[in-house]
Amino acid sequence: MWGVPSGLVAAFSALCVAELVSAAVRPEAGPVTAVGGAVIDRTPLPVKDWAVRTFGTADKLVLQWGVVALLAVFAALIGPLALRHRRTGAAAVAAVGRPDGSPPDGVPSAVGGAVAAGVLYLLATLLDGRPSTVTGRTGAFGRTRLGRGLRRAVARGPGHEFDREFDRRGFVIAAGATVVASAGAGLLGRRLKASGNAEAAASRERLVLPAPASPAPPLPGAAALHVPGISPRITPNRRFYRVDTALVVPRVDVSRWRLRLHGKGVRRPLELRFQDLLDRELVERDITLTCVSNEVGGPYVGNARWIGVRLADLLREAGVRPPSEDGPADQLVARSVDGMTLGAPVDTVMDGRDALLALGMNGEPLPFEHGFPVRMVVPGLYGYVSACKWLRELELATFDDFDAYWVRRGWAREAPVKTQSRIDTPHAFASPKAGPVQVAGVAWAQHRGITRVEVRVDDGPWRTARLAAQDSRDTWRQWSWQWEATAGHHTLQVRATDGTGALQTDRRSGTVPDGATGRHAVVVSVS
């Protein structure tokens, strides 16, 4: 009976103490985050895709609560084991607490595991009644009322009867004291983290981005269609999709941020502060980003106005030559503050497109959720190879020498965005009235552009939709088509043609390994 609460108290102590230690190491190194990260790393791709589809941006919250529940179950199982085999139970807890990552991020989990082992050993000793090197000593702790009680509880040794009532009372006192002390440690850790987060938030609030030397080109007069239900031309920051592995959003104080650029073929390594980037020529561009996890017709695509520094200019300043100019490195490895690695082709980054180190998004400094203080934006590539958030390092390497995070998990090394189109309105299973119905949505093929969108009803002929004026070939394009709807159930389908003349394929495939293909369709019931 008492083994289960012993395990739960030990687990609670581990989490609280590790939370305190992580405040001194790095907020993202907290125990739940560390275990959750390990779960993400080991989860099969189909399960990850299912989680993204099912929970959307809430997948991280679900995972965190799942981690806490699993730790509670483990603790409840280990507690009774420790009553029979104290050292074995304590060792099992300590083993689970060992870090799986590289130091110093593993320190909080290691310390938490050690504390849990000690607490579980102590509580198991109280319940078992056998002498312990912890409770048997007569040091400062032994001279306290609690210490004297613990020693009396176990003084008779193994094989003798002892005061079960007093032992139960001693256990409750020890467990309660442990919970209170652990809670205090956890609250202190949370307060320290909150203080650090407040400093990072203040650094962002004080930041004023200068006007770009190269502003975004003026928009054509008809670049936006005003159709109810259609995605806006620019996606507001609060609605911009977020798909990443960070269980805790890194909050970086801009005054402490540094970017290191080094690696193969770099003749002049650079270390840059944020101010160094602000002092460079800033450019402003509208660019659509797409997540490779976006299924046909999915929501993980958005268009924003970015302000940043041209990445190609920075690389050339460091002496980098692309492979097309006989440079030795064909992969640009980007590393974030949370350890994520992404790898983009050097030739693509340096081919003249507006690849940016972005500092601003839609007229303000990057939101923390979208990579503050600096992220990469490369039009035409899926985010998992190019859109590194919370950037801290750029390394020139080769694809043969290094596989980035997602490549090691079965995704393709190179991932140009596929031509896609989506029906925003009417939505699936809508019930419009018979008569004129506006069918509308967006289409995208970054760095190739969209030249044509067609819609058909059921198995009828393809009809050409009206396109909004082309903003740039790096942004999505709105479209609309007026349908004379008739009563009954109907299937609406859309397809797009990109700037190279290639038609969007009708072959249906999943997101792995390099993005979904197929054509979006919705079923409606016209009354």
Side-chain angles (χ1 to χ4, degrees):
M1 165 181 178
W2 295 100
V4 171
S6 297
L8 293 175
V9 169
F12 180 73
S13 301
L15 292 176
C16 290
V17 171
E19 187 74 10
L20 176 59
V21 176
S22 69
V25 175
R26 194 170 68 96
E28 296 79 26
V32 174
T33 304
V35 174
V39 171
I40 291 174
D41 290 347
R42 291 161 176 77
T43 300
L45 288 178
V47 178
K48 289 181 182 178
D49 273 355
W50 173 84
V52 171
R53 290 195 308 271
T54 305
F55 302 112
T57 55
D59 59 339
K60 297 168 183 62
L61 180 61
V62 172
L63 176 59
Q64 287 175 312
W65 279 109
V67 168
V68 172
L70 288 174
L71 289 176
V73 171
F74 175 79
L77 295 174
I78 288 296
L81 172 64
L83 290 184
R84 297 174 178 268
H85 309 285
R86 277 183 280 170
R87 293 180 179 176
T88 301
V93 172
V96 170
R98 288 174 186 156
D100 190 41
S102 58
D105 282 3
V107 171
S109 294
V111 173
V115 168
V119 168
L120 188 57
Y121 188 86
L122 171 63
L123 296 180
T125 297
L126 289 174
L127 293 174
D128 188 42
R130 286 178 285 174
S132 163
T133 56
V134 176
T135 58
R137 291 175 180 169
T138 57
F141 173 75
R143 289 192 295 273
T144 65
R145 180 178 180 182
L146 176 58
R148 290 195 301 271
L150 298 182
R151 284 190 289 112
R152 284 198 301 271
V154 298
R156 297 181 182 180
H160 295 277
E161 295 296 326
F162 60 94
D163 187 348
R164 291 281 180 182
E165 182 64 29
F166 178 82
D167 187 62
R168 187 180 301 112
R169 186 164 56 248
F171 171 84
V172 171
I173 292 173
T178 300
V179 168
V180 171
S182 300
L187 290 174
L188 177 59
R190 286 295 179 94
R191 178 161 295 186
L192 292 174
K193 289 184 178 182
S195 176
N197 289 342
E199 291 179 5
S203 75
R204 182 180 180 275
E205 289 295 326
R206 292 191 297 267
L207 183 61
V208 177
L209 296 176
S214 174
L219 294 174
L225 301 180
H226 302 288
V227 178
I230 197 173
S231 298
R233 192 186 66 81
I234 293 292
T235 309
N237 290 353
R238 69 182 183 278
R239 292 176 54 190
F240 206 94
Y241 77 91
R242 178 195 163 206
V243 178
D244 53 55
T245 63
L247 293 180
V248 175
V249 174
R251 294 181 177 264
V252 181
D253 187 332
V254 71
S255 65
R256 299 187 177 95
W257 178 84
R258 297 291 185 275
L259 174 66
R260 183 185 176 210
L261 196 163
H262 66 104
K264 187 171 292 188
V266 175
R267 287 180 285 176
R268 292 176 293 277
L270 300 176
E271 182 168 297
L272 302 170
R273 300 170 301 134
F274 190 81
Q275 187 62 45
D276 295 328
L277 297 182
L278 289 181
D279 291 341
R280 293 169 180 268
E281 180 183 73
L282 297 182
V283 300
E284 180 183 62
R285 297 292 184 267
D286 294 344
I287 299 172
T288 297
L289 296 185
T290 309
C291 179
V292 74
S293 295
N294 197 47
E295 295 202 334
V296 173
Y300 302 125
V301 57
N303 188 51
R305 175 161 289 187
W306 309 91
I307 293 178
V309 174
R310 286 190 180 91
L311 183 52
D313 292 349
L314 200 65
L315 294 174
R316 291 198 181 277
E317 181 180 324
V320 175
R321 291 177 292 108
S324 59
E325 299 176 14
D326 298 324
D330 60 4
Q331 179 179 205
L332 178 63
V333 179
R335 290 186 174 87
S336 78
V337 299
D338 70 341
M340 173 58 65
T341 58
L342 282 66
V346 175
D347 265 329
T348 300
V349 170
M350 301 182 71
D351 68 358
R353 70 185 69 199
D354 289 315
L356 303 177
L357 292 186
L359 318 178
M361 180 180 182
N362 291 335
E364 63 178 274
L366 290 172
F368 286 109
E369 292 80 3
H370 295 293
F372 182 83
V374 178
R375 70 173 294 168
M376 279 176 57
V377 173
V378 182
L381 298 181
Y382 282 117
Y384 83 97
V385 298
S386 66
C388 186
K389 295 185 279 191
W390 314 294
L391 185 66
R392 67 171 176 84
E393 182 181 353
L394 293 171
E395 180 183 2
L396 278 296
T398 66
F399 284 107
D400 290 337
D401 291 341
F402 181 80
D403 284 337
Y405 179 90
W406 290 112
V407 175
R408 295 195 298 269
R409 288 157 179 81
W411 297 84
R413 287 180 173 181
E414 302 187 38
V417 173
K418 293 178 168 59
T419 301
Q420 280 292 331
S421 51
R422 185 180 70 197
I423 299 172
D424 290 336
T425 182
H427 59 79
F429 309 115
S431 300
K433 300 293 185 182
V437 173
Q438 285 292 330
V439 183
V442 288
W444 59 92
Q446 292 92 309
H447 208 58
R448 300 186 303 279
I450 294 294
T451 59
R452 184 182 178 93
V453 171
E454 299 167 284
V455 184
R456 74 173 177 182
V457 181
D458 301 323
D459 294 322
W462 289 99
R463 305 293 186 181
T464 301
R466 177 169 66 101
L467 291 176
Q470 180 76 61
D471 180 356
S472 82
R473 61 178 182 169
D474 291 334
T475 63
W476 63 16
R477 201 167 180 182
Q478 295 175 321
W479 58 268
S480 69
W481 175 67
Q482 183 166 298
W483 172 38
E484 291 296 329
T486 58
H489 297 286
H490 299 284
T491 299
L492 302 173
Q493 191 176 34
V494 62
R495 69 183 184 184
T497 301
D498 70 19
T500 70
L503 181 66
Q504 178 182 346
T505 180
D506 62 352
R507 184 177 63 85
R508 197 84 176 188
S509 67
T511 58
V512 182
D514 59 358
T517 62
R519 294 171 182 169
H520 188 216
V522 298
V523 176
V524 298
S525 179
V526 179
S527 57

